[in-house]
Amino acid sequence: MNIRIALLPGDGIGPEVVSQATKAIDAIARKFSHEVSYSPALVGACAIDKYGDPFPEETFQVCLKSDAVLFGAVGDPRYDNDPTAKVRPEGGLLSMRKKLGLFANLRPVETFSALVDRSPLKREIVQGADLLCVRELTGGMYFGEKGRRDGGDTAYDTCIYSRYEIERIVRLALRYASQRRKHLTVVDKANVLESSRLWRQVAKELEGEYPDVTVDYMFVDNAAMQLIRCPSFFDVLVTENTFGDILTDEASCISGSMGLLASASIGEHTGVYEPIHGSYPQAAGKNIANPLATILSAAMMFEYAFSLKEEGTAIRKAVEASITEGILTEDLAPKGSKVHSTSEVGDWVASYILENN
């Protein structure tokens, strides 16, 4: 199979972790006889520096001409510490999602047996947790009308959703639930927010399309509590943009490290596959960042973009083996054990893919 991948490493640790994921991709290509070509492009602060735009037209065109996008992270302290900045690296991520029509973010959360005690939650709580968060990506408060008035002393952000936006994301979540354990939880704040009441109304109308799926409804504050109290209750969660952003980061506690969580953003055009951990600028250039989330994002790319389940499984097995064997960066390595660098972990995973069935 000929595979064209747009590489958007971005800022901070993005280039380091993306380069480890390409090692795994190259190993898969060699093992399964695929042809892979890469097209690098700029996004985030580095794109602002060159083009004055965090998601320039050149990058957009590279994405459109590719079969999948492997993305690192955006963010830079220069902008974090300047609330008056008119252009921000994070705007590149929002623009990418909007222009590519990426309306759904998929974030699987699972536990690894060798790391279950690294979670801040008790073993008996997180053991066996396996859930998929489906987050709406292109609507809601992040994209609604926003601004200031009263001389800048009053600010507003508007949360707007249409029936169409809700229907397509809920249908997608129902389909994934039907392929898993047939349980969908719709997360909203329908007791307070009119937009959430529309979410609940539409979801209830769609329930009958998948009669084998049990659908329940949960207010977002309760969902935040239940994710920590009893994560194994959940199979698939679906929610709007802002709630999903917060809940999926909270869910990283279940696996024990944000450095293990991959994601896929899919929709109308080329899908984007990325770790959820952000740019982590304090670690940039130090070869200490955990690349496993980005490598697992590459596994999702094979599974979702190309329907190559065996290739995705081979990457997952290699990641699990690295965890079991203790080939880990400093965020996961047990106290007193050998700490491996970012590149050492990437090399080990790639070698495992080539040497094992």
Side-chain angles (χ1 to χ4, degrees):
M1 185 175 188
N2 292 320
I3 297 171
R4 299 167 301 172
I5 300 174
L7 285 185
L8 276 61
D11 306 320
I13 62 171
E16 297 169 70
V17 294
V18 165
S19 65
Q20 308 316 309
T22 59
K23 292 177 183 177
I25 293 169
D26 291 340
I28 288 292
R30 181 176 169 187
K31 188 179 184 71
F32 292 90
S33 300
H34 298 304
E35 293 291 334
V36 176
S37 61
Y38 300 105
S39 298
L42 298 179
V43 66
C46 57
I48 296 175
D49 290 341
K50 183 170 183 178
Y51 297 104
D53 184 342
F55 187 62
E57 180 65 20
E58 289 87 343
T59 299
F60 178 47
Q61 291 301 321
V62 167
C63 293
L64 284 180
K65 295 173 184 176
S66 301
D67 302 311
V69 177
L70 184 63
F71 169 62
V74 292
D76 190 292
R78 290 177 293 162
Y79 300 91
D80 296 339
N81 299 327
D82 182 6
T84 65
K86 301 299 183 183
V87 180
R88 295 180 177 277
E90 293 77 10
L93 183 54
L94 297 180
S95 293
M96 178 163 57
R97 291 169 178 169
K98 199 72 173 179
K99 288 185 176 182
L100 292 174
L102 305 177
F103 64 85
N105 180 244
L106 313 177
R107 291 192 182 183
V109 179
E110 58 185 323
T111 54
F112 295 88
S113 56
L115 290 177
V116 71
D117 291 320
R118 295 302 306 274
S119 171
L121 305 176
K122 294 180 179 179
R123 168 182 280 267
E124 56 266 30
I125 291 176
V126 300
Q127 188 88 52
D130 177 12
L131 58 102
L132 175 67
C133 297
V134 181
R135 168 191 168 194
E136 202 287 326
L137 263 190
T138 56
M141 192 160 53
Y142 290 176
F143 290 95
E145 184 181 352
K146 53 179 58 47
R148 295 198 182 192
R149 59 175 182 255
D150 302 330
D153 292 334
T154 301
Y156 59 92
D157 297 276
T158 309
C159 182
I160 297 180
Y161 271 106
S162 68
R163 170 178 288 275
Y164 167 70
E165 290 174 307
I166 301 167
E167 284 180 346
R168 65 182 180 180
I169 192 73
V170 171
R171 279 200 173 98
L172 187 69
L174 282 164
R175 176 158 63 86
Y176 285 129
S178 72
Q179 298 167 357
R180 289 171 51 95
R181 300 194 304 277
K182 305 185 187 309
H183 175 204
L184 175 66
T185 302
V186 180
V187 177
D188 59 33
K189 191 62 177 171
N191 58 335
V192 175
L193 300 177
E194 190 63 35
S195 58
S196 280
R197 285 191 276 274
L198 180 60
W199 267 79
R200 186 167 294 210
Q201 176 188 335
V202 171
K204 283 186 171 295
E205 292 171 2
L206 297 178
E207 282 184 29
E209 294 185 6
Y210 289 83
D212 60 331
V213 175
T214 299
V215 182
D216 52 38
Y217 298 82
M218 192 175 290
F219 295 147
V220 63
D221 41 356
N222 185 29
M225 179 178 69
Q226 298 303 332
L227 268 174
I228 299 301
R229 180 178 173 272
C230 187
S232 60
F233 168 81
F234 298 101
D235 177 20
V236 178
L237 295 86
V238 63
T239 191
E240 61 91 64
N241 205 342
T242 306
F243 296 160
D245 192 7
I246 296 167
L247 290 177
T248 50
D249 280 2
E250 180 196 18
S252 68
C253 292
I254 296 168
S255 66
S257 173
M258 196 174 286
L260 290 173
L261 295 188
S263 77
S265 298
I266 60 176
E268 299 169 7
H269 300 294
T270 316
V272 175
Y273 300 85
E274 62 176 295
I276 79 162
H277 51 56
S279 62
Y280 192 15
Q282 301 89 338
K286 297 181 180 179
N287 203 22
I288 61 173
N290 186 349
L292 294 181
T294 315
I295 294 172
L296 287 170
S297 297
M300 292 187 74
M301 180 187 70
F302 280 106
E303 294 161 349
Y304 287 88
F306 310 120
S307 298
L308 297 174
K309 304 296 183 184
E310 189 176 358
E311 286 83 339
T313 298
I315 295 177
R316 294 183 187 282
K317 286 182 177 178
V319 168
E320 187 162 5
S322 76
I323 293 171
T324 302
E325 295 295 325
I327 312 301
L328 301 167
T329 46
E330 64 178 15
D331 60 314
L332 291 178
K335 188 175 181 180
S337 66
K338 176 177 172 53
V339 173
H340 292 79
S341 69
T342 307
S343 55
E344 286 174 338
V345 173
D347 289 339
W348 195 94
V349 169
S351 295
Y352 186 94
I353 291 170
L354 290 171
E355 296 167 4
N356 293 270
N357 293 326

